[in-house]
Amino acid sequence: MSAKYEKCAFVVEQDLAAGLAMNTVAALSMSVGRFVDGIIGDAVKDGGGEAHTGITAIPLPILKGAAADLRDIVLKAAGLPDVFVADFTAVAQSSRSYDEYIRRTADLGTAELPYIGVAVCGSRSAVNKLTGSLPLYR
């Protein structure tokens, strides 16, 4: 695993319904799993010798925040080296196809996008600096 990815926090817009929040974290998790090398540990064998697929080997807290908090995280993280950010917007969630998502997103600037979720991966200190003041999603 790359040492630069010690933690990955997911931040969900605090007013999302539970099902939409879970969908948001699932979508962000897929992006993190694809684009963050080394985040998934090796397969693990149980006492009977059966293999179990590797899971994440780093902490993954799920936090909540206001829409402005999510936008601020995206904007602040853009200037940080060795920080990976994946975002999920209301545009993505409401689009019926990926092509529609692409078209609708092209009409908005980064600061104008309606963020409903963001994943931030990096060193513990970098992730904590961006998300440390936010409460756990409960």
Side-chain angles (χ1 to χ4, degrees):
M1 175 177 315
S2 172
K4 69 181 183 179
Y5 295 116
E6 300 169 331
K7 184 175 183 178
C8 187
F10 295 84
V11 184
V12 178
E13 204 282 324
Q14 63 194 9
D15 294 326
L16 278 182
L20 294 177
M22 287 188 282
N23 176 263
T24 297
V25 172
L28 289 168
S29 296
M30 304 251 329
S31 294
V32 168
R34 177 173 179 198
F35 293 108
V36 177
D37 290 334
I39 196 169
I40 305 298
D42 294 331
V44 176
K45 288 191 179 182
D46 64 24
E50 295 295 321
H52 299 269
T53 302
I55 60 171
T56 182
I58 64 173
L60 298 172
I62 300 175
L63 311 170
K64 64 181 177 179
D69 295 326
L70 278 70
R71 183 194 63 243
D72 290 348
I73 290 168
V74 171
L75 294 174
K76 288 176 184 174
L80 298 177
D82 298 328
V83 171
F84 172 84
V85 175
D87 61 64
F88 196 64
T89 65
V91 174
Q93 197 164 65
S94 64
S95 294
R96 295 185 182 265
S97 69
Y98 205 77
D99 287 337
E100 179 185 347
Y101 165 56
I102 291 169
R103 284 192 309 275
R104 291 176 60 201
T105 299
D107 293 336
L108 300 168
T110 300
E112 300 169 306
L113 286 166
Y115 297 101
I116 58 173
V118 62
V120 181
C121 304
S123 67
R124 283 184 195 276
S125 62
V127 174
N128 289 345
K129 184 175 182 177
L130 292 165
T131 66
S133 65
L134 299 172
L136 285 171
Y137 180 90
R138 294 181 190 267

